């Protein structure tokens, strides 16, 4: 069972780690996109770098099993914020753009929900799981 949990952890964080690399290596492009979605230009670069670091830290925490509960909670919070800030489909007038942003919004909320499940799982049973470097940072009883 430990191997299945590890495989699930790896598959779950692939998106976050790949996105983190993009945010940290293509910062100006990503900041331009953030500005196009309504983020002030003065904040876009810092937000892009910050979000890249959040995804990197949260993703590495989950995949390596270093306080994986805390990493999953960080990823959940990140997903919910990004859904609300970057994919506000209700602001779109064009039906096609609205549909595309709604898909991205729902994807981010689904990933956030999955990260919450992982948080609860790691916090509750993380000390019993193999293939983890540390136990949970937070304990749920």
């Amino acid at each position: 069972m430990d191997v299945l949990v590890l495989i699930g952890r790896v598959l779950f964080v692939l998106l976050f780690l790949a996105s983190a690399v993009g945010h940290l290596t293509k910062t100006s492009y990503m900041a331009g996109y953030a500005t196009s979605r309504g983020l002030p230009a003065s904040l876009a670069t810092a937000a892009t770098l910050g979000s890249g670091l959040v995804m990197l830290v949260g993703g590495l925490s989950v995949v390596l099993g270093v306080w994986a509960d805390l990493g999953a909670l960080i990823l959940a919070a990140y997903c919910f914020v990004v859904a609300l800030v970057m994919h506000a489909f209700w602001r779109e007038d064009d039906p096609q753009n609205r549909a595309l942003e709604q898909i991205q919004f729902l994807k981010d909320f689904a990933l956030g929900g999955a990260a919450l499940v992982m948080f609860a799982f790691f916090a509750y049973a993380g000390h019993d799981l193999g293939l983890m470097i540390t136990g949970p940072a937070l304990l749920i009883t």
Side-chain angles (χ1 to χ4, degrees):
M1 198 57 83
D2 293 343
V3 172
L4 287 178
V5 173
L6 176 62
I7 291 169
R9 289 178 6 224
V10 169
L11 293 175
F12 180 72
V13 302
L14 281 176
L15 173 73
F16 295 104
L17 295 177
S19 294
V21 169
H23 280 68
L24 298 172
T25 61
K26 296 178 174 94
T27 305
S28 61
Y29 170 77
M30 301 298 265
Y33 175 73
T35 301
S36 78
R37 298 301 305 151
L39 206 62
S42 60
L43 236 107
T45 298
T48 300
L49 289 170
S51 63
L53 289 174
V54 165
M55 288 186 287
L56 182 64
V57 168
L60 288 175
S61 171
V62 169
V63 77
L64 296 175
V66 178
W67 293 335
D69 58 331
L70 198 54
L73 189 58
I74 289 168
L75 292 176
Y78 169 80
C79 287
F80 296 134
V81 169
V82 167
L84 293 168
V85 173
M86 298 298 291
H87 303 297
F89 65 91
W90 53 90
R91 291 189 205 141
E92 295 291 333
D93 294 327
D94 177 63
Q96 184 175 4
N97 285 343
R98 185 181 185 100
L100 291 172
E101 289 304 323
Q102 186 175 21
I103 289 167
Q104 293 300 318
F105 177 89
L106 293 171
K107 175 210 42 122
D108 285 345
F109 254 68
L111 285 169
L116 284 178
V117 170
M118 291 183 89
F119 161 71
F121 176 68
F122 293 138
Y124 181 75
H127 54 282
D128 291 331
L129 294 173
L131 305 176
M132 305 279 277
I133 294 174
T134 70
L138 309 168
L139 295 176
I140 296 178
T141 57

